[in-house]
């Protein structure tokens, strides 16, 4: 993580706090009030001992003073806790929303390069840490600074010579604390690192549980989890031990400290140079000073940790999409049916920039035309769809949609006009019906019903416990892949797109379902242009044109009849398929 300047990151968070100036002012006033109440406790003790106990008179005054101080402290504590916590939860709420929105508009490459558990951590754990820091630690830090300064001032004003003797002891007092605080900071970082490793394993297991179980890798993951879990426990044990030692040392040092003050103070009382009240209040201020001083190492280390959290959040907020935003946005013509012109496009994935996945691709699609793409696995077919949806920009060549350069269109308008049925259907944790409606929030009920009818989805609904309202489970886990493909297709249809992209959309369907879908597709394809990637050639025989792709290039294009004559690879694919059908 880059070590950004502390003031820079705190200026960053200041921008989020500024809108709540009034509440910030009330929180600060409460902190001052609370510090003041603690400090006035020393004066109360002074009065209590000198006036109340020794002169046996005016004892009401110290008692009233003491009660008022406590009341004042209670009020201030309420204000400090309420206003600081309010600001904290509000800032984290605003920041969480903003970062989430920001993240959703970043380019696909960002997500492919980022570590997902790290991203999730930023929006959850890191924001919780910030919330805790702003809600509690900042006000405690400010209060303790005030208490430190206030108690020192009171001690200087009442008995400077006793303070001078005390300070010599304080120097001894601080030294071991600094060493221990540094050690605690080191093991805190270690303990957190161990927890991150655990999150990675959890993430992998939860997302790939079927693969883990199918390959009987349970023991492998259990051993790995146990190793990291034990390391995490050991680090945490060291942390709590040193924290407890820290508290122990502070108490011992405070006791020594008070004994020393009492020793010097009693000598002065016997010499009539100090009153009892002065000594008691001095001891009180010493305890306040020791307590505030003792809290600094932990608060400083928390401040440093928050600095790193803010650096990470700021980095995410400043992340920009690799896709340049058009300076002058052009709109799509109102009436058109999906004209596509791809010219000399070459592309490499940003993560593998020396491997050309697409090379000099030139393709065009007239309104309503049906183009099919075939080719071996890894040829670059899906990548071509990703380029059309502008998930990535090609390094060379141009793409026009409805006559407009993709780079001049807003991403929203482009993606609203194109529907894709992906190779691996992606369903969300909602009901089946919601998963379909998700395709287009503006779609009328009749459009959704038409898609359901076209794809005969009522047959799927009838087999489920709550029909169309059945929750599909995590990523659609409660449905078969073929069912997911049909839902994914209905989702695409209700977009009423200008261009339909089908990526192996019928690869997991049985013969009957495929027939239903082919009929549905026939009707839909009459309304828009389409590009179909298919391994099963019988699904694309009626296409207007078929492009054969190999190693990122288009090696031939034509109708089925043309290609059987002129392209070896296509002929091979056809003969293999024929063989499969014969024996399949
Ligand atoms: N996100 C990615 N980052 C880096 N390389 C990728 C990425 N996606 C695909 N590739 C690589 O790009 C090449 C083309 O992949 P693509 O998915 O386009 O092939 P495909 O023709 O659709 O194959 P299939 O028929 O198996 O679906 C492959 O070599 C693949 O490893
Ligand atoms: Mg593919």
């Amino acid at each position: 993580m880059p070590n950004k300047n502390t003031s820079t990151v705190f200026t960053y968070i200041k921008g989020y706090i500024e809108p709540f100036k009034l509440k910030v002012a009330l929180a600060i006033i409460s902190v001052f009030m609370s510090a003041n109440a603690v400090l006035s406790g020393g004066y109360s003790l002074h009065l209590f001992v000198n006036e109340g106990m020794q002169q046996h008179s005016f004892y009401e005054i110290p008692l009233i003073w003491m009660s008022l101080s406590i009341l004042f402290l209670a009020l201030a504590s309420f204000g400090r806790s309420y206003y600081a916590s309010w600001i904290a939860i509000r800032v984290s709420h605003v920041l969480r929303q903003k970062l989430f929105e920001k993240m959703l508009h970043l380019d696909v490459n960002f997500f492919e390069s980022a570590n997902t558990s790290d991203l999730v951590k930023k929006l959850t754990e890191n924001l919780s840490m910030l919330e805790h820091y702003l809600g509690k630690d900042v006000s405690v830090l400010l209060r303790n600074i005030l208490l430190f300064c206030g108690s020192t001032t009171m001690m200087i004003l009442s008995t400077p010579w006793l303070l001078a003797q005390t300070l010599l002891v304080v120097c001894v007092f601080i030294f071991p604390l600094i060493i221990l605080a540094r050690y605690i900071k080191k093991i805190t970082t270690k303990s957190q690192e161990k927890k991150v490793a655990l999150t990675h394993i959890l993430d992998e297991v939860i997302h790939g549980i079927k693969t883990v179980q199918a390959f009987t890798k349970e023991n492998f993951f259990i051993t790995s989890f146990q190793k990291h879990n034990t390391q995490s426990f050991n680090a945490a044990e060291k942390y709590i031990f040193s924290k407890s030692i820290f508290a122990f040392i502070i108490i011992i040092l405070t006791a020594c400290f008070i004994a020393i003050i009492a020793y010097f103070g009693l000598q002065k009382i016997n010499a009539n140079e100090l009153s009892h009240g002065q000594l008691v209040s001095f001891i009180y201020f010493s305890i306040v000073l020791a307590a505030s001083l003792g809290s600094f190492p932990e608060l400083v280390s928390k401040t440093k940790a928050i600095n790193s959290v803010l650096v990470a959040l700021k980095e995410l907020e400043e992340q920009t999409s690799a896709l340049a935003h058009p300076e002058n946005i052009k709109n799509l013509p109102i009436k058109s049916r999906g004209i596509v012109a791809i010219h000399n496009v070459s592309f490499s994935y940003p993560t593998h920039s020396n491997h050309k996945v697409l090379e000099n691709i030139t393709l065009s699609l007239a309104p309503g035309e049906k183009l099919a793409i075939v080719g071996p696995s890894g040829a670059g077919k899906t990548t071509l769809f990703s380029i059309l949806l502008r998930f990535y920009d090609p390094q060379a060549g141009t793409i026009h949609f409805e006559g407009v350069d993709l780079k001049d269109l807003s991403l929203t308008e482009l993606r609203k006009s194109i529907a894709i049925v992906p190779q691996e259907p992606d369903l969300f944790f909602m009901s089946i019906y919601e998963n379909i409606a998700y395709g287009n929030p503006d779609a009328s009920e009749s459009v959704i019903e038409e898609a359901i009818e076209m794809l005969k989805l009522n047959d799927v609904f009838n087999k489920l416990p709550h029909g169309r309202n059945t929750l599909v489970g995590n990523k659609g886990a409660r449905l078969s892949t073929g069912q997911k493909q049909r839902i994914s297709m209905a989702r695409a249809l209700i977009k009423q797109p200008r261009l339909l992209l089908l990526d192996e959309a019928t690869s997991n369907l049985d013969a009957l379902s495929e027939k239903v879908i082919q009929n549905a597709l026939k009707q839909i394809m009459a309304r828009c242009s389409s590009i179909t990637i298919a391994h099963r050639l019988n699904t694309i025989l009626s296409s207007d044109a078929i492009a054969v792709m190999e190693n990122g290039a288009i090696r031939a294009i034509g109708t089925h009849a043309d290609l059987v004559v002129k392209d070896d690879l296509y002929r091979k694919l056809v003969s293999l398929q024929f063989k499969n059908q014969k024996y399949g």
Side-chain angles (χ1 to χ4, degrees):
M1 190 174 288
N3 193 7
K4 287 218 177 150
N5 192 299
T6 310
S7 65
T8 319
V9 288
F10 279 98
T11 312
Y12 161 71
I13 199 67
K14 207 174 107 205
Y16 283 93
I17 297 172
E18 255 166 6
F20 316 114
K21 278 192 189 103
L22 180 66
K23 287 205 164 64
V24 172
L26 288 170
I28 292 176
I29 290 170
S30 303
V31 171
F32 270 88
M33 275 169 62
S34 133
N36 194 32
V38 172
L39 292 173
S40 69
Y43 184 62
S44 308
L45 277 175
H46 181 116
L47 280 182
F48 191 72
V49 175
N50 275 8
E51 310 293 331
M53 288 172 91
Q54 299 203 348
Q55 298 180 15
H56 306 290
S57 59
F58 307 123
Y59 53 80
E60 301 88 351
I61 296 173
L63 283 180
I64 291 171
W65 183 265
M66 236 174 190
S67 309
L68 280 178
S69 291
I70 292 170
L71 199 68
F72 201 62
L73 182 66
L75 212 82
S77 298
F78 164 78
R80 185 172 66 86
S81 157
Y82 175 72
Y83 292 116
S85 305
W86 190 94
I87 295 162
I89 56 172
R90 188 73 185 141
V91 166
S92 109
H93 164 257
V94 173
L95 206 53
R96 190 180 293 123
Q97 188 67 30
K98 188 164 178 190
L99 291 176
F100 182 69
E101 284 173 21
K102 171 85 205 190
M103 213 171 75
L104 276 190
H105 290 104
L106 288 176
D107 58 298
V108 170
N109 183 47
F110 168 80
F111 292 92
E112 285 174 350
S113 320
N115 177 334
T116 36
S117 27
D118 202 43
L119 272 181
V120 172
K121 190 179 154 210
K122 277 184 188 158
L123 288 180
T124 52
E125 213 178 293
N126 279 5
L127 280 174
S128 302
M129 270 173 81
L130 180 65
E131 203 173 298
H132 189 268
Y133 183 77
L134 292 178
K136 191 167 172 240
D137 300 333
V138 172
S139 57
V140 171
L141 183 63
L142 178 60
R143 190 197 58 184
N144 288 1
I145 290 173
L146 290 173
L147 288 179
F148 178 76
C149 299
S151 50
T152 315
T153 313
M154 296 299 275
M155 286 152 93
I156 291 175
L157 290 179
S158 73
T159 35
W161 50 269
L162 192 52
L163 178 67
Q165 284 167 325
T166 311
L167 281 179
L168 285 176
V169 187
V170 166
C171 294
V172 183
F173 182 86
I174 287 178
F175 191 63
L177 290 185
I178 291 176
I179 296 174
L180 201 60
R182 285 206 174 144
Y183 177 68
I184 290 180
K185 195 189 155 222
K186 214 168 100 189
I187 50 177
T188 310
T189 318
K190 219 175 196 173
S191 160
Q192 276 162 356
E193 280 168 8
K194 298 293 166 203
K195 279 188 188 135
V196 171
L198 284 178
T199 321
H200 282 312
I201 300 175
L202 266 177
D203 203 44
E204 265 181 22
V205 168
I206 291 170
H207 285 111
I209 188 68
K210 281 188 182 159
T211 316
V212 172
Q213 291 183 349
F215 284 84
T216 57
K217 285 285 176 193
E218 292 92 335
N219 283 339
F220 168 80
F221 279 103
I222 288 171
T223 314
S224 165
F225 194 82
Q226 192 174 33
K227 186 179 124 202
H228 287 97
N229 203 10
T230 309
Q231 284 175 351
S232 164
F233 169 79
N234 291 340
E237 196 186 27
K238 273 188 192 157
Y239 171 68
I240 55 159
F241 180 72
S242 45
K243 246 189 101 171
S244 310
I245 283 282
F246 191 75
F248 171 79
I249 294 177
I250 287 225
I251 293 170
I252 294 288
L253 286 175
T254 310
C256 299
F257 187 43
I258 291 167
I260 293 166
I261 294 167
Y263 176 76
F264 289 133
L266 285 171
Q267 278 182 344
K268 295 288 173 187
I269 286 177
N270 289 337
N272 278 335
E273 288 171 17
L274 192 72
S275 73
H276 288 84
Q278 270 179 311
L279 179 62
V280 169
S281 65
F282 193 89
I283 291 176
Y284 175 86
F285 288 127
S286 315
I287 294 173
V288 172
L289 184 132
S292 52
L293 201 64
S295 73
F296 287 148
E298 196 178 350
L299 288 168
V300 169
S301 102
K302 278 184 178 172
T303 307
K304 280 189 182 159
I306 284 300
N307 191 49
S308 311
V309 162
L310 288 177
V311 169
L313 295 177
K314 191 167 182 272
E315 262 177 6
L316 180 58
E317 194 179 321
E318 285 171 355
Q319 190 77 40
T320 50
S321 172
L323 305 172
H325 196 67
E327 279 178 17
N328 297 310
I329 292 184
K330 291 188 183 154
N331 291 323
L332 287 175
I334 295 171
K335 263 194 180 174
S336 190
R337 285 197 303 151
I339 305 170
V340 178
I342 302 173
H343 184 68
N344 260 338
V345 160
S346 294
F347 172 73
S348 308
Y349 280 99
T351 42
H352 299 90
S353 51
N354 50 359
H355 172 219
K356 263 198 181 160
V357 176
L358 298 178
E359 207 161 0
N360 291 330
I361 300 274
T362 298
L363 270 179
S364 61
L365 207 61
E369 196 177 352
K370 289 177 279 184
L371 173 72
I373 301 179
V374 297
S377 185
K381 305 179 295 293
T382 302
T383 305
L384 192 62
F385 279 6
S386 298
I387 296 283
L388 274 171
L389 282 161
R390 211 175 163 217
F391 288 142
Y392 312 90
D393 278 337
Q395 285 84 16
T398 55
I399 305 172
H400 287 79
F401 180 55
E402 310 289 34
V404 186
D405 192 321
L406 246 54
K407 291 183 177 172
D408 291 332
L409 281 169
S410 86
L411 283 178
T412 313
E413 189 170 13
L414 171 75
R415 291 174 187 166
K416 269 189 173 171
S417 315
I418 303 178
I420 181 165
V421 182
Q423 204 163 2
E424 287 158 24
D426 225 347
L427 299 194
F428 296 93
F429 205 111
M430 321 169 180
S431 72
I432 294 205
Y433 185 82
E434 286 166 329
N435 261 295
I436 296 169
Y438 167 92
N440 179 7
D442 301 324
S444 66
E445 211 165 296
S446 63
V447 169
I448 300 177
E449 289 306 327
E450 190 195 19
I452 290 174
E453 176 51 38
M454 267 186 181
L455 293 158
K456 302 274 181 270
L457 280 172
N458 281 316
D459 299 348
V460 177
F461 299 160
N462 290 340
K463 288 181 194 144
L464 296 166
H466 306 288
R468 57 177 62 193
N469 295 321
T470 307
L471 287 175
V472 298
N474 204 2
K475 291 189 174 262
R478 289 178 203 149
L479 298 171
S480 73
T481 313
Q483 287 172 334
K484 281 192 262 186
Q485 274 192 333
R486 281 162 75 177
I487 289 162
S488 169
M489 202 171 287
R491 177 194 280 173
L493 297 192
I494 67 162
K495 269 181 106 170
Q496 300 184 303
R498 293 168 186 244
L499 172 65
L500 180 64
L501 304 176
L502 301 165
D503 193 350
E504 300 282 342
T506 56
S507 57
N508 289 296
L509 300 176
D510 59 80
L512 202 66
S513 309
E514 189 168 349
K515 195 155 190 291
V516 167
I517 284 175
Q518 288 303 338
N519 285 338
L521 284 177
K522 234 183 231 164
Q523 295 178 52
I524 298 144
M525 286 175 173
R527 302 177 196 163
C528 58
S529 52
S530 62
I531 308 180
T532 307
I533 296 174
H535 281 306
R536 279 202 248 172
L537 302 182
N538 58 334
T539 59
I540 50 151
L541 293 180
S542 61
S543 305
D544 299 312
I546 301 170
V548 185
M549 262 187 99
E550 192 187 27
N551 295 330
I554 303 219
R555 49 176 283 146
I557 188 158
T559 61
H560 170 71
D562 291 341
L563 292 172
V564 169
V565 176
K566 73 177 185 191
D567 189 68
D568 294 349
L569 177 61
Y570 187 76
R571 224 178 7 255
K572 200 168 149 196
L573 291 172
V574 171
S575 74
L576 277 173
Q577 201 122 121
F578 171 72
K579 210 165 123 192
N580 285 343
Q581 279 170 12
K582 198 170 163 188
Y583 298 109

